[in-house]
Amino acid sequence: MNESTPSSRPLLIVDDDATFVRVLARAMDSRGFEVVTANNADEARSQARRHHPRHCVLDLKLGDENGLKLVAELQALVPDMRILLLTGYASIATAVEAIKRGAHDYLAKPVDADAVVRALMEEESAGGEDELPEAPEAPLALRRLEWEHIQRVLTECDGNISETARRLGMHRRTLQRKLGKHPVRERPDQDH
């Protein structure tokens, strides 16, 4: 794809993990996308201004920066850009906040390129229809609810661990230990 072609608008991949960016960029390129990349918020803003990407794959954690904050900035720079947020810490609270801030979809890492393509193309074919996700039949486990609450407060504190620990009334190290664990899964046999 040629950058000078008006109909060709690239995919912007924003992640502070250079290896992940390289692998995903190569995979998306082989699937027909023109790809531009950024490793931090400043580069992302610069690439958005320069290339006016049609799609963006954005990581929630960009080093010390929060990808959620970047969603609105990128939307302001390129209003019709569709943003897919990726995170290693999948939680309902983070997903809701991402959508409220303007992201169009949300995937948990690890993610493969086919899942990214499906998410980007489903957005295109959905034509703006609002589909409500099905509510779980069984209540969430207590540990999962705790995880969700921690993620919600962490999001409200813009990723600041010390402030989150203060608001939750727990020691900072305890919070870091809880965040270091993978999110609690609901029941593995839930899809029956």
Side-chain angles (χ1 to χ4, degrees), residues 12-179:
L12 172 61
I13 299 173
V14 185
D15 198 307
D16 61 341
D17 180 342
T19 303
F20 176 79
V21 168
R22 190 171 51 253
V23 170
L24 184 59
R26 190 176 305 130
M28 297 305 285
D29 183 62
S30 73
R31 286 162 176 80
F33 286 84
E34 176 189 345
V35 179
V36 293
T37 63
N39 295 113
N40 59 52
D42 288 337
E43 286 178 21
R45 286 185 286 268
S46 174
Q47 293 287 40
R49 280 187 206 98
R50 184 177 305 125
H51 297 285
H52 297 278
R54 176 74 188 106
H55 298 101
C56 177
V57 176
L58 172 64
D59 190 30
L60 177 67
K61 291 291 283 175
L62 297 172
D64 294 335
E65 299 174 285
N66 186 331
L68 280 176
K69 284 182 168 180
L70 192 55
V71 171
E73 292 180 50
L74 291 175
Q75 291 274 253
L77 291 170
V78 185
D80 67 339
M81 182 191 317
R82 299 184 70 81
I83 298 174
L84 171 64
L85 193 73
L86 299 181
T87 180
Y89 299 104
S91 79
I92 294 168
T94 309
V96 168
E97 187 63 26
I99 301 303
K100 280 202 296 195
R101 291 188 185 216
H104 294 87
D105 208 343
Y106 178 90
L107 290 176
K109 284 181 174 179
V111 65
D112 65 26
D114 290 331
V116 171
V117 170
R118 278 192 304 274
L120 294 175
M121 294 302 104
E122 283 175 13
E123 291 174 350
E124 296 284 309
S125 63
E129 286 181 25
D130 290 333
E131 285 187 27
L132 295 174
E134 287 187 28
E137 292 179 22
L140 295 175
L142 183 58
R143 288 187 307 150
R144 181 64 189 201
L145 287 172
E146 177 190 44
W147 174 262
E148 298 291 343
H149 181 64
I150 288 171
Q151 291 299 312
R152 185 172 39 255
V153 175
L154 185 62
T155 300
E156 289 170 3
C157 295
D158 293 323
N160 183 316
I161 299 287
S162 297
E163 177 63 17
T164 302
R166 188 187 66 71
R167 287 188 189 181
L168 291 171
M170 69 174 63
H171 195 278
R172 189 173 190 272
R173 281 193 212 132
T174 303
L175 176 59
Q176 286 176 315
R177 190 171 53 251
K178 287 179 182 281
L179 289 172

